[in-house]
Amino acid sequence: MIEILDPTCEPGPQAIAYAPRPAALRGKRIGLVENTKFNSDRLLEKVGDILKVEYGAAETRLWRKRNASVPAHEEIIEELRQTCDVMVAGIGD
Amino acid sequence: MSPAAALTSKRHTVGGDLADAIEFCHAQGWTDGLPVVPPTADRVTAMLEAARLDPAEEIAYIAHRAVSITAEKVAINAVMAGCKPEYMPVVIAGIEGIADPLWSYHGPGTSTAGAAVLMVVNGPIARELDVNQGDNLFGPGWRANLTIGRAVRLVMRNVCGSRPGTLDRGTLGHPGKLSYVIAENEAESPWPPLHVERGFRRDQSAVTVMGAEAPHQFYNQLSNTAEGVLTTLCDDMRISGNVMGQPQYVLVLAGEHMRTIARDGWSKADVRRFVFEHTRNSHAHLKQTHRMAGAVLPGDETRLRPLVESPDDILVVAAGGQAGAFSAYIPGWGSKRSSQAVTKEVKR
């Protein structure tokens, strides 16, 4: 009989709050956050065009993270909060 | 309270003998594929005491993963890796390194590009622990080299969640992801050791961590000049790693090459400058080989892009066997913009 200790992270429960989802995208301002990889900007702009043409979104605006390995920096989050209703983040490779 | 009673990790009681406990660890998904030493409370306590750490002490917080790494969890994984207790301060410095925002865990801890944690141990502790700096530098044979890096990787797996196939999505990975630890040949090197170049005293011990690809060995068995040896290196190295990303590099200069370069009076800074100058690629070549986007334009034949942002992004380490006209370069993971080498003092 051997007693051993657990090597893994044992996180406590974390509450994650999701922002309320809009019922429709008509007239909404769309923020796009690209991660700097090849073509991620083109992919997201394409998504933005679809949201405007097919779903009636009012406008899109694109932000660029500092690099692919980090979360969007504070300025992006703050501007998004001020100027957008919905955001789409994407990866390109 | 006894030291063992201060440990708060969940305890598992395993029937049978030591082999059964090892199998239990495999079955839980806690290992890298090799057998581990079952982490009993007494072994974990010895590990903590060797580094004079309280089990609850937070060694690092990985913001990208929202994970707190406690001394207790590091100690458990170090036991499993096969570390002696006296290795623990080096493991701790390595963990502090990969948690540094400049190292930027989320990229090299998860990326398809398959980064390992290259660790260069400098200072007195490297000799005390017999961290290999000579023959078979990256190969088998030295317990400190193989278990210290393994402990860091097990922490990444078990505490940070970088499990191959789920969060760690390395397309190819490489053997250095098991353990990738070297020391510098400070006794025979004619140059200041890496940690001194990076701001520490010679009598301090330090660990430099870099998210890294596998080592690339190059041959020069012909030249007896610094320029000759390094010309061969640059020709090998010019197209390597994420050539468009400008990662950092480690150069490992082994015995014969080290002596040849030093005999010509070249400093590490001279090596860095030469290598920086001679690893640039023309835009035309980068475009013709489909590394740089776009059509070749007039002037692209002579427009040069450096392999690294600056000569200081080439870290020079004197290490490897005395015999054999071989050395190595190691491309860093991704790009310097995404992750940088970090040096942490080994606190004792």
Side-chain angles (χ1 to χ4, degrees):
Chain A
M1 198 81 90
I2 298 173
E3 187 182 69
I4 60 178
L5 295 166
D6 194 305
T8 64
C9 185
E10 299 160 56
Q14 289 182 356
I16 298 174
Y18 288 100
R21 269 43 184 162
L25 293 176
R26 180 154 304 280
K28 299 295 185 195
R29 301 163 300 172
I30 311 290
L32 307 170
V33 181
E34 64 109 341
N35 74 345
T36 75
K37 292 200 173 190
F38 288 127
N39 294 332
S40 59
D41 50 348
R42 294 170 64 184
L43 177 74
L44 281 170
E45 279 165 353
K46 194 95 182 160
V47 169
D49 289 345
I50 292 170
L51 295 181
K52 281 191 285 195
V53 172
E54 296 185 21
Y55 294 86
E59 60 182 40
T60 62
R61 186 176 160 196
L62 184 75
W63 281 270
R64 189 175 168 85
K65 293 203 309 183
R66 293 209 170 99
N67 68 67
S69 302
V70 294
H73 45 282
E74 196 50 46
E75 293 88 336
I76 292 183
I77 302 293
E78 195 46 44
E79 286 179 27
L80 274 165
R81 198 177 278 134
Q82 304 287 341
T83 63
C84 294
D85 304 303
V86 171
M87 68 159 280
V88 182
I91 185 167
D93 247 328
Chain B
M1 187 163 61
S2 74
L7 302 171
T8 58
S9 292
K10 183 178 175 185
R11 293 172 186 242
H12 302 264
T13 302
V14 186
D17 60 11
L18 196 59
D20 294 307
I22 292 170
E23 285 304 319
F24 178 83
C25 293
H26 277 300
Q28 301 305 306
W30 294 343
T31 90
D32 50 15
L34 291 168
V36 292
V37 176
T40 55
D42 56 342
R43 291 192 183 109
V44 171
T45 301
M47 199 65 73
L48 288 164
E49 286 177 349
R52 294 201 299 276
L53 288 168
D54 186 70
E57 187 168 334
E58 183 175 79
I59 302 304
Y61 181 75
I62 309 263
H64 294 172
R65 306 287 326 140
V67 166
S68 172
I69 305 175
T70 62
E72 177 171 336
K73 291 298 181 189
V74 178
I76 294 170
N77 283 283
V79 167
M80 290 186 8
C83 289
K84 291 183 182 178
E86 56 263 40
Y87 299 171
M88 181 68 170
V90 183
V91 176
I92 293 288
I95 297 295
E96 289 174 345
I98 66 170
D100 191 292
L102 281 177
W103 202 80
S104 195
Y105 184 93
H106 186 66
T110 65
S111 169
T112 47
V117 183
L118 174 67
M119 297 173 62
V120 184
V121 185
N122 278 107
I125 202 164
R127 268 90 66 193
E128 289 167 30
L129 301 182
D130 192 24
V131 184
N132 182 31
Q133 48 72 31
D135 285 359
N136 273 289
L137 182 68
F138 296 104
W142 277 264
R143 181 174 177 178
N145 298 60
L146 288 180
T147 60
I148 290 170
R150 189 184 187 206
V152 170
R153 177 58 60 176
L154 287 176
V155 169
M156 293 171 73
R157 176 191 182 94
N158 289 325
V159 185
C160 306
S162 290
R163 285 169 184 258
T166 53
L167 189 64
D168 174 359
R169 298 302 301 271
T171 307
L172 298 168
H174 66 83
K177 289 182 82 167
L178 286 168
S179 191
Y180 203 4
V181 176
I182 63 173
E184 185 160 11
N185 183 359
E186 295 178 29
E188 291 167 306
S189 166
W191 302 305
L194 180 66
H195 72 308
V196 172
E197 290 191 295
R198 294 172 69 83
F200 294 88
R201 296 188 315 272
R202 198 176 268 270
D203 64 347
Q204 286 176 297
S205 295
V207 173
T208 301
V209 293
M210 184 177 85
E213 295 187 7
H216 299 238
Q217 177 173 295
F218 74 93
Y219 289 54
N220 183 314
Q221 300 174 309
L222 183 66
S223 177
N224 59 2
T225 68
E227 185 170 343
V229 168
L230 295 175
T231 296
T232 306
L233 161 67
C234 292
D235 192 49
D236 253 44
M237 177 174 159
R238 191 173 299 120
I239 293 291
S240 66
N242 185 12
V243 67
M244 288 300 295
Q246 296 183 315
Q248 295 179 310
Y249 276 75
V250 167
L251 298 186
V252 177
L253 300 174
E256 286 193 29
H257 287 166
M258 174 186 81
R259 291 192 295 274
T260 298
I261 294 165
R263 201 168 49 231
D264 276 359
W266 288 39
S267 66
K268 281 188 174 180
D270 294 332
V271 171
R272 280 194 286 271
R273 271 193 297 274
F274 184 91
V275 173
F276 178 80
E277 289 295 320
H278 292 84
T279 50
R280 294 177 296 172
N281 290 290
S282 75
H283 283 219
H285 182 74
L286 292 169
K287 287 177 174 177
Q288 283 157 353
T289 55
H290 300 273
R291 293 182 165 95
M292 181 183 277
V296 178
L297 302 172
D300 276 354
E301 289 290 350
T302 52
R303 192 172 296 127
L304 298 177
R305 180 183 171 84
L307 184 62
V308 292
E309 284 181 20
S310 124
D312 290 338
D313 292 323
I314 301 165
L315 284 59
V316 182
V317 178
Q322 291 303 305
F326 314 100
S327 293
Y329 58 93
I330 302 172
W333 168 82
S335 67
K336 181 190 175 190
R337 200 177 62 242
S338 303
S339 178
Q340 295 184 32
V342 172
T343 303
K344 296 288 184 185
E345 185 185 5
V346 178
K347 296 187 274 290
R348 294 192 276 175

